C-alpha cells in the first residue's frame, strides 16, 4: 500500500473504526514505523506527537485495538483502520473518544420493520395477510420458520441456511411489529 507520509511531516491521520459496528472510535496519527508495527503485530500502534515516540494502544491497559483491515483514502494520506477493540477505547473510559456508546447498529432491521409496518396496512401483501389473521398466526409462522432453520442448519447447505435465516429474521421482526415492539428496544449483546 502506498501511503504519503510527506504531507504532514511524516505523519498520517488514522481513523479507528469498529469493524463490526462501524462506529468511529478515535483518531490517532501514524508515522511509517507505527504503520509497519501495526501490520506486523496486528495491534494498532500510533505515533505520539506529545511524547515523540511510538505507542501501542493497550500496552499498559490491556485494551488493545486488534487489527482487522487498513484502507488508504483517495489521496493516500489518511488511513481507515478497522479493529476489534478490547474494551473501551478512550482514556476516560468511554467506548469512543466522543463519549458515544459503541453498540451494534439496528439500521437494517429498522428498515425491515418499517416496511413490514407499511405492509401490515395492505391486506394484499404477505405481511398484511398474516397481520389480518392476528397475533397467533404471526407467532405460528415464526415458529414454523424457526423449525425449518434448525433443519437447514443440521442438514442443509450453507446457502440454504443463509436464505432460511433471512426468512426467520423477517418473521421475528414481523412478530415484534405485531406486538408493537421496536427493534430499537432489543438489547443485542456482542
Amino acid at each position: 500500500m502506498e501511503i504519503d507520509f510527506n504531507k504532514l511531516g511524516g505523519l498520517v491521520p488514522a481513523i479507528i473504526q469498529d469493524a463490526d459496528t462501524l462506529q468511529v472510535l478515535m483518531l490517532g496519527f501514524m508515522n511509517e514505523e507505527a504503520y509497519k508495527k501495526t501490520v506486523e503485530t496486528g495491534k494498532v500502534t500510533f505515533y505520539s506527537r506529545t511524547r515523540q515516540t511510538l505507542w501501542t494502544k493497550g500496552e499498559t491497559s490491556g485494551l488493545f485495538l486488534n487489527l482487522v483491515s487498513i484502507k488508504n483514502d483517495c489521496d493516500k494520506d489518511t488511513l481507515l483502520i478497522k479493529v476489534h477493540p478490547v474494551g473501551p477505547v478512550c482514556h476516560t473510559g468511554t467506548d469512543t473518544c466522543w463519549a458515544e456508546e459503541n453498540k451494534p447498529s439496528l439500521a437494517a432491521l429498522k428498515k425491515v420493520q418499517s416496511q413490514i409496518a407499511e405492509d401490515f396496512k395492505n391486506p394484499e401483501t404477505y405481511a398484511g395477510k398474516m397481520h389480518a389473521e392476528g397475533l397467533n398466526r404471526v407467532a405460528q409462522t415464526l415458529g414454523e420458520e424457526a423449525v425449518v432453520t434448525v433443519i437447514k442448519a443440521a442438514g442443509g447447505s450453507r446457502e440454504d441456511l443463509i436464505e432460511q435465516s433471512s426468512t426467520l429474521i423477517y418473521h421475528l421482526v414481523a412478530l415484534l411489529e405485531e406486538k408493537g415492539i421496536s427493534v430499537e428496544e432489543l438489547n443485542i449483546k456482542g
Side-chain angles (χ1 to χ4, degrees), residues 107-136:
L109 289 179
K110 284 172 35 180
K111 186 175 178 181
V112 170
Q113 188 166 29
S114 177
Q115 184 60 56
I116 289 171
E118 283 301 308
D119 289 349
F120 273 5
K121 298 174 190 172
N122 182 352
E124 299 300 314
T125 65
Y126 173 76
K129 289 175 185 172
M130 270 196 316
H131 176 64
E133 292 182 38
L135 173 63
N136 287 342

Side-chain angles (χ1 to χ4, degrees), residues 150-189:
V150 171
I151 292 168
K152 296 291 184 184
S157 68
R158 182 177 191 278
E159 291 75 24
D160 289 342
L161 180 57
I162 291 169
E163 182 178 337
Q164 185 57 39
S165 295
S166 301
T167 302
L168 177 64
I169 291 169
Y170 173 89
H171 285 88
L172 174 60
V173 174
L175 180 64
L176 293 172
E177 181 62 24
E178 186 71 32
K179 292 291 290 181
I181 299 169
S182 168
V183 295
E184 293 173 308
E185 295 178 63
L186 301 177
N187 188 16
I188 300 172
K189 301 276 187 196

